[in-house]
Amino acid sequence: MSLVATVVVGCKSGGHGWRRFVPWRSSSDMLISTHSTRTEPTLEPVSVAELQAHCRIDDPENHTELARMIKAARQAIETGHLWRTLINQTCVDKFDAFGDLMGLRWLTVQSVTSITYLDTDGATQTLSTDIYELATFDGVGAIRLKYDQEWPSLYDHEDVVTVTYVAGYGTSPDDVPMPIRQAIMIYANWLYAAREGEGGPFDTLNALLEPYSAWRVM
């Protein structure tokens, strides 16, 4: 059985540019959620003061704008390159069924908060932790049955299983690897300086981020 589920393909469009990694459903036996949502983190991996010091931005009037650039850079890096959350976030994945292995969309999974499902009467039930456990395959967090357990019967509908979990490196900016934080500062500085200009420091960003990207080899 192949344990690769969240396979990610990298691509560049014409010369230098952002190497974007896009998840897609593989033909493996791991079930992937139909869709996923997540909360915003309570703080950013990089502060405005750090960005100002690192990039020598002496502009005290633009604190709010710099904060927006940091957020935009972090979001672009999370979803466009890494496919992982940085500061811990609550994530919710929806599934149409139970499966032997249920791959979770966001890395790195810290804990599972709950699994709920619709029973055959359409009523919401909370799955007992005696039935399932969290496993990791090639860095992908997955839900699987514990030994000698069975999944309950489900209502015949879409999105009948909801997995709520926490994913990220930790609760502090210091928990995020320095190369990723460096990439956020470089990207945020470019967003601030260039506005809608062309180009960008993408070769540098790709080099910093690629070791942490959710790239799965089939």
Side-chain angles (χ1 to χ4, degrees):
M1 176 179 66
S2 171
L3 299 181
V4 177
T6 311
V7 181
V8 183
V9 179
C11 63
K12 275 188 176 183
S13 56
H16 301 295
W18 182 263
R19 185 177 295 122
R20 185 174 179 83
F21 292 79
V22 182
W24 61 285
R25 183 187 294 269
S26 77
S27 59
S28 74
D29 293 328
M30 187 181 282
L31 186 65
I32 302 300
S33 63
T34 52
H35 67 268
S36 179
T37 59
R38 60 195 174 109
T39 62
E40 282 292 299
T42 56
L43 73 167
E44 296 293 340
V46 174
S47 69
V48 170
E50 286 176 308
L51 177 61
Q52 289 175 315
H54 181 267
C55 300
R56 300 179 182 178
I57 300 174
D58 186 15
D59 192 352
E61 299 300 321
N62 280 351
H63 186 282
T64 300
E65 186 174 3
L66 291 173
R68 286 200 303 267
M69 300 306 173
I70 290 171
K71 180 178 180 178
R74 186 261 304 165
Q75 289 176 333
I77 285 170
E78 284 180 333
T79 60
H81 200 113
L82 300 182
W83 205 250
R84 67 168 70 240
T85 62
L86 302 181
I87 301 293
N88 282 3
Q89 299 173 39
T90 296
C91 307
V92 178
D93 287 9
K94 298 281 189 176
F95 296 83
D96 291 341
F98 285 118
D100 292 337
L101 288 173
M102 301 168 64
L104 301 177
R105 287 281 185 174
W106 294 96
L107 308 179
T108 299
V109 180
Q110 298 284 353
S111 61
V112 177
T113 305
S114 67
I115 299 178
T116 60
Y117 65 97
L118 297 183
D119 65 17
T120 53
D121 294 323
T124 300
Q125 306 290 343
T126 298
L127 190 65
S128 170
T129 55
D130 292 335
I131 295 176
Y132 69 91
E133 61 187 4
L134 175 64
T136 302
F137 294 99
D138 194 26
V140 176
I143 302 298
R144 68 181 178 189
L145 280 171
K146 286 185 177 179
Y147 177 74
D148 203 26
Q149 295 292 325
E150 293 183 356
W151 297 120
S153 298
L154 294 171
Y155 190 66
D156 186 14
H157 202 269
E158 298 177 349
D159 295 343
V160 289
V161 178
T162 301
V163 181
T164 304
Y165 59 101
V166 175
Y169 281 109
T171 58
S172 167
D174 291 337
D175 294 325
V176 180
M178 181 54 70
I180 298 177
R181 299 179 69 224
Q182 182 89 359
I184 291 173
M185 287 188 282
I186 291 172
Y187 195 25
N189 181 52
W190 177 77
L191 291 172
Y192 175 76
R195 298 302 194 271
E196 297 180 5
E198 296 182 356
F202 298 113
D203 284 342
T204 300
L205 292 175
N206 289 331
L208 287 169
L209 295 173
E210 195 154 324
Y212 304 95
S213 297
W215 185 304
R216 298 288 171 262
V217 180
M218 294 194 72

